[in-house]
C-alpha cells in the first residue's frame, strides 16, 4: 500500500500514466481506424523509445485501449439472436421512460429477456419501442410481449443534433415495435427512493410559480421545464445552474460540512484531541453529496462532479496538500475508467475546463485591503475567466453566447450559492417534518420576482448568435492560451497561430454549395452562397407536431449563421411541404414571397433571377391533375456548373420540359426519389448528369431508388448517392471542379453501425 500511495506523493509515474490514459481514450474513441490514430500511436511509440518518461505514457495509452475494448464488448455490442423463422422476438422489458404518453406510445425500455434467454442486468441493452395497446404504460412497468427489433439507426446530417450518437451514449442499441394489442402489465411492488423523493419535491413545491426551477435544482430532472423556459435560461446564460455539476455538489458538500461543524460546536460534544475533526466534517459533507448524487439518479454531470470532489479530498488527506491540478487529472482518469465513452459528452469538457480555469485564476487573483472588495474582485475575475475560457466550446455546442450572462452570473451564482440553494435544502428537510407552505410561497414570490425582472431583458441584449467555429481553430485557441500562460518562451504561441492562418488562407473555399439533407422519405435541400441561403422543400412532418424543419433545417441555418432570402415548395405532398408551416412559424414567412406570391400553399411561379451571382430559373406548372407533375422544377446555373432540382415529376412532365427548355445539368436530384415512374431514358440523355442524388428513406416501404432507375443512370456512368445510405450529401462547387461529401463518411464513428 505504501508503494502504491508513493505515486500520489511523488507523482511523476502516476501523472505520466494518467496522461497516457487520457490521450489513449480520446484518440481511440474519436480516431480509431483512421490515419490520425495511426499517427498518434506511432508518435507515442517513437517518443517512448527515446524518452524514458514516455514509457509510462505508452503504458497508459495501452491501458486506455484495453479499457475501451472491454467497455464496448460488455455494454455496447449486444447482438440480436439469429432466428430466421420468426418475425418478432418474445421479450420481457421494463419501461425506463415514457417519451410520448399519447397513443401510440413511444417508450425507452430495457430488454431483460429476449427470445427466451435472460440478459444480465449489467449488459441488458435498451431499445426505443412504439406500442399501441389499450392500457397506457408507465415508468417502472414490466411486461412480456412480441416485439420486432432492428439496430438503432437514425437520419444523419452535419452540424446538427446527432440522434445516433445520443442513442449510443444512452446504450440504446435497438428500436422496434410491440405487436401485442393488449398487455399483462406488472406494476412495481414499491416505488424506488428516487421516485418517492421526486414525487415529494413535486408535491412540496406544487403551488409555486418556479416549481420547474426548484425541482431541477434539487433533482437534476428538467422534465417539468417547457421549451420556452429552457430557451430563456440558455439565452440568459443560466443553463449551467440547472445541471447538477461541480457548483451544486460543492454547495451540498459545503453546507453539510459547516452544518456538522457548527452542530458539534453548539452541542459541545467532547472529542479526543487525536481525532482529526476536519476529516469528520469532510466525510459528513462527502456523504451528503453522495446522497444528493444518488437522488439525482446518478446523472452523468453529478457523478462526474462527485468523482472530482472525491479525488480532491483523497489527495488532500493523503498528500497533505491541495494538489489541485493532480486532482483534476486523477478525477478525469476515474471518470474515463468508469466509462471511457464519456469523452463523447460535451459536459465533460465544460466541467474540467471550468474547474481548471477556476484553479488557474485563483492563483493570480488581485488583492485588496477590504475583504468585501476582494470577494467582489475575485468573483468578477473568475466569471470573466470562465467566460473567455469556455467561449470556444460554447460557440461549438450552442452556436452563440449569452452576453447578458456575463453580468447576470455575477449576481446569480452568489445568490444561488449563499441564499437560494441553502434555503432550498433547508426547506426540503423541514418539509419532511412540518407543513411550511406559507414560507415556501413567500420564498417563491421573492425568487420569481427576481427571475421576471431578469427575463425582461430584450433578446438582442441577451444572446449573440454566431456560426459554428472550426474544431481546428478551437483546438488552436486552447493550445495558444496554454503556451502563452505556461511556456517560458511566450513566442511559441506564434506556431499554432501560423497553423490557423495557413489553414485559413490555403484551404480552398467553395464558391457555392448544395446540401441535400437526410430526412427519411422526403426532400429538403438548401442552396448556400456567401452566407445566403435558398431552401427548396421542407421534408415531412409527423402528427402536425414534429418535423425535420425543427430538428435539421433550422439548426443547420443557425449553425452556419445563414440568411435565408428565398424558399420554394415543389408541391404540397407532406414529404416535401410538411415542415413549411414550422419554417413560417420560426419567422421565415417573407422568404416565400418571390416564388409563392399568392401564399406558400399555391404553386410556385415561373421566374428567373440572380441569387448572389447564381442564375435561378423556376419552372412552375398547373397543367396536370396531380401534385407530382405540377412540381416546381428549379435550375441553378453558375459559370462553372449547374444543378437541377426536380421535385416529384413523372415521365410525362419530363417529356414536356425537355421539349421546351434546355435542362443540361452536372448535378441532379432524381425525380420522385428515384421512382421508376420518372427518370426516363430520354430525360437522362437530355440532362446528361455527372452526379445523381436520390433522397430516400432507409429500407423504406417503396424501396427507392428503383433498381431500373439506378441502372439507367449507371449506363451513362453517372455517380450516384443515396441519402438513406450516405446521410446528408453536400456538393461543393469550386472554380474548376466540384466535390461531393457525405455525413456518414465524414462524421461517423467506428462504434456506431451505419
Amino acid at each position: 500500500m505504501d508503494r502504491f500511495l508513493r505515486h500520489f506523493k511523488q507523482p511523476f509515474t502516476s501523472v505520466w500514466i494518467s496522461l497516457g490514459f487520457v490521450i489513449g481514450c480520446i484518440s481511440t474513441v474519436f480516431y480509431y481506424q483512421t490515419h490520425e490514430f495511426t499517427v498518434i500511436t506511432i508518435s507515442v511509440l517513437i517518443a517512448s523509445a527515446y524518452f524514458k518518461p514516455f514509457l509510462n505514457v505508452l503504458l497508459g495509452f495501452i491501458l486506455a485501449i484495453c479499457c475501451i475494448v472491454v467497455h464496448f464488448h460488455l455494454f455496447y455490442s449486444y447482438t440480436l439472436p439469429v432466428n430466421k423463422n420468426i418475425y418478432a422476438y418474445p421479450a420481457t422489458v421494463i419501461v425506463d421512460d415514457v417519451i410520448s404518453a399519447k397513443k401510440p406510445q413511444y417508450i425507452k425500455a430495457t430488454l431483460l429477456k429476449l427470445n427466451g434467454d435472460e440478459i444480465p442486468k449489467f449488459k441488458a441493452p435498451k431499445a426505443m419501442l412504439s406500442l399501441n395497446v389499450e392500457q397506457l404504460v408507465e415508468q417502472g412497468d414490466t411486461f412480456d410481449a412480441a416485439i420486432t427489433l432492428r439496430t438503432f439507426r437514425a437520419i444523419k446530417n452535419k452540424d446538427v443534433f446527432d440522434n445516433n450518437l445520443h442513442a449510443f451514449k444512452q446504450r440504446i442499441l435497438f428500436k422496434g415495435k410491440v405487436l401485442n394489442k393488449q398487455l399483462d402489465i406488472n406494476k412495481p411492488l414499491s416505488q424506488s427512493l428516487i421516485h418517492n423523493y421526486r414525487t415529494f419535491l413535486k408535491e412540496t413545491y406544487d403551488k409555486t410559480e418556479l416549481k420547474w426551477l426548484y425541482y431541477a435544482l434539487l433533482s437534476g430532472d428538467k422534465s417539468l421545464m417547457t421549451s420556452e423556459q429552457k430557451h430563456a435560461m440558455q439565452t440568459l446564460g443560466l443553463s449551467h445552474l440547472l445541471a447538477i455539476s461541480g457548483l451544486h455538489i460543492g454547495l451540498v458538500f459545503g453546507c453539510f460540512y459547516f452544518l456538522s461543524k457548527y452542530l458539534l460546536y453548539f452541542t459541545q460534544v467532547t472529542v479526543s484531541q487525536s481525532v482529526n475533526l476536519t476529516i469528520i466534517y469532510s466525510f459528513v459533507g462527502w456523504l451528503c453529496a453522495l446522497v444528493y448524487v444518488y437522488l439525482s439518479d446518478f446523472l452523468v454531470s453529478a457523478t462526474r462532479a462527485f468523482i472530482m470532489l472525491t479525488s480532491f479530498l483523497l489527495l488532500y488527506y493523503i498528500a497533505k496538500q491541495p494538489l489541485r491540478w493532480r486532482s483534476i487529472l486523477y478525477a478525469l482518469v476515474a471518470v474515463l475508467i468508469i466509462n471511457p465513452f464519456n469523452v463523447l459528452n460535451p459536459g465533460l469538457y465544460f466541467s474540467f475546463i471550468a474547474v481548471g480555469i477556476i484553479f488557474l485564476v485563483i492563483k493570480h487573483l488581485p488583492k485588496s485591503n477590504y475583504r468585501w472588495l476582494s470577494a467582489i474582485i475575485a468573483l468578477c475575475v473568475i466569471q470573466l475567466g470562465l467566460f473567455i475560457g469556455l467561449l470556444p466550446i460554447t460557440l461549438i455546442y450552442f452556436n452563440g453566447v449569452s452576453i447578458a450572462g456575463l453580468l447576470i452570473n455575477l449576481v446569480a451564482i452568489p445568490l444561488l450559492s449563499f441564499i437560494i440553494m441553502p434555503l432550498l435544502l433547508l426547506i426540503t428537510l423541514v418539509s419532511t417534518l412540518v407543513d411550511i407552505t406559507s414560507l415556501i410561497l413567500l420564498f417563491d414570490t421573492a425568487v420569481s420576482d427576481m427571475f421576471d425582472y431578469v427575463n425582461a431583458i430584450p433578446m438582442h441584449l441577451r444572446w449573440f448568435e454566431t456560426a459554428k467555429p472550426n474544431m481546428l481553430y478551437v483546438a488552436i485557441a486552447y493550445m495558444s492560451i496554454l503556451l502563452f500562460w505556461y511556456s517560458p518562451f511566450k513566442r511559441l504561441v506564434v506556431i499554432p497561430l501560423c497553423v490557423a492562418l495557413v489553414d485559413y488562407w490555403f484551404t480552398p473555399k467553395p464558391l457555392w454549395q448544395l446540401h441535400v439533407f437526410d430526412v427519411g422519405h422526403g426532400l429538403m435541400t438548401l442552396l448556400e452562397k456567401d452566407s445566403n441561403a435558398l431552401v427548396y422543400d421542407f421534408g415531412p412532418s409527423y402528427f402536425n407536431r414534429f418535423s425535420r424543419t425543427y430538428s435539421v433545417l433550422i439548426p443547420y441555418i443557425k449553425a452556419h449563421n445563414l440568411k435565408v432570402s428565398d424558399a420554394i415548395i415543389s408541391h404540397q405532398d407532406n414529404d416535401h411541404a410538411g415542415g413549411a408551416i414550422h419554417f413560417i412559424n420560426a419567422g421565415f414567412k417573407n422568404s416565400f414571397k418571390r416564388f409563392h406570391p399568392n401564399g406558400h400553399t399555391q404553386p410556385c411561379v415561373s421566374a428567373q433571377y440572380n441569387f448572389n451571382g447564381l442564375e435561378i430559373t423556376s419552372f412552375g406548372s398547373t397543367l396536370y391533375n396531380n401534385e407530382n407533375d405540377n412540381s416546381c422544377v428549379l435550375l441553378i446555373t453558375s459559370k462553372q456548373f449547374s444543378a437541377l432540382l426536380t421535385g416529384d415529376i413523372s415521365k410525362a412532365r419530363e417529356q414536356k420540359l425537355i421539349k421546351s427548355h434546355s435542362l443540361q445539368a452536372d448535378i441532379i436530384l432524381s425525380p420522385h426519389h428515384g421512382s421508376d415512374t420518372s427518370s426516363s431514358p430520354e430525360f437522362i440523355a437530355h440532362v446528361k448528369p455527372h452526379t445523381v442524388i436520390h433522397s430516400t428513406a432507409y429500407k423504406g416501404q417503396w424501396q427507392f431508388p428503383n433498381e431500373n432507375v439506378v441502372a439507367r443512370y449507371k449506363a451513362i456512368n453517372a455517380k450516384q448517392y443515396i441519402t438513406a445510405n450516405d446521410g446528408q450529401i453536400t456538393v461543393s462547387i469550386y472554380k474548376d471542379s466540384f466535390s461531393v461529401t457525405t455525413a456518414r463518411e465524414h462524421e461517423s464513428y467506428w462504434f456506431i453501425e451505419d
Side-chain angles (χ1 to χ4, degrees), residues 195-310:
H195 180 272
N196 292 334
Y197 170 68
R198 294 185 174 182
T199 302
F200 170 73
L201 290 179
K202 291 177 183 178
E203 293 173 351
T204 302
Y205 298 98
D206 183 55
K207 297 179 181 180
T208 61
E209 185 177 340
L210 296 181
K211 173 183 176 180
W212 55 271
L213 176 62
Y214 311 139
Y215 183 70
L217 288 172
L218 292 168
S219 70
D221 184 4
K222 303 177 186 176
S223 60
L224 297 185
M225 295 181 64
T226 64
S227 57
E228 290 78 12
Q229 289 165 345
K230 291 179 181 178
H231 184 256
M233 293 297 283
Q234 178 184 324
T235 55
L236 290 170
L238 299 176
S239 295
H240 64 97
L241 299 181
L242 299 177
I244 294 182
S245 56
L247 175 64
H248 305 75
I249 301 299
L251 288 174
V252 173
F253 171 81
C255 286
F256 286 96
Y257 176 95
F258 288 108
L259 181 62
S260 61
K261 180 177 180 178
Y262 291 120
L263 186 63
L264 187 64
Y265 174 78
F266 287 117
T267 55
Q268 297 183 348
V269 176
T270 303
V271 180
S272 172
Q273 290 184 354
S274 61
V275 177
N276 189 337
L277 293 178
T278 305
I279 293 179
I280 295 177
Y281 305 148
S282 297
F283 178 74
V284 172
W286 177 87
L287 191 62
C288 291
L290 175 60
V291 172
Y292 183 51
V293 173
Y294 168 75
L295 293 175
S296 76
D297 201 12
F298 290 99
L299 284 173
V300 174
S301 58
T303 306
R304 184 170 56 239
F306 180 74
I307 291 172
M308 197 178 300
L309 171 67
T310 304

Side-chain angles (χ1 to χ4, degrees), residues 195 211 231 297 320 392 402 421 501 516 541 650 677:
H195 180 272
K211 173 183 176 180
H231 184 256
D297 201 12
K320 306 300 181 185
S402 175
M421 196 67 182
L501 288 173
V516 183
S541 68
S650 70
T677 61

Side-chain angles (χ1 to χ4, degrees), residues 163-181:
N163 282 292
N164 297 280
L165 188 59
H166 179 69
F168 177 85
K169 289 188 289 187
Q170 293 186 304
R171 294 186 59 229
I172 299 172
L173 306 184
F174 307 107
K175 61 181 175 180
K177 182 179 181 181
V178 175
L179 300 183
N180 303 57
K181 295 300 180 184

Side-chain angles (χ1 to χ4, degrees), residues 362-371 373-375 377-378 381:
I362 285 176
K363 294 177 64 177
H364 301 85
L365 286 176
K367 295 182 180 180
S368 172
N369 295 328
Y370 301 97
R371 182 176 296 181
L373 184 58
S374 296
I377 293 173
V381 172

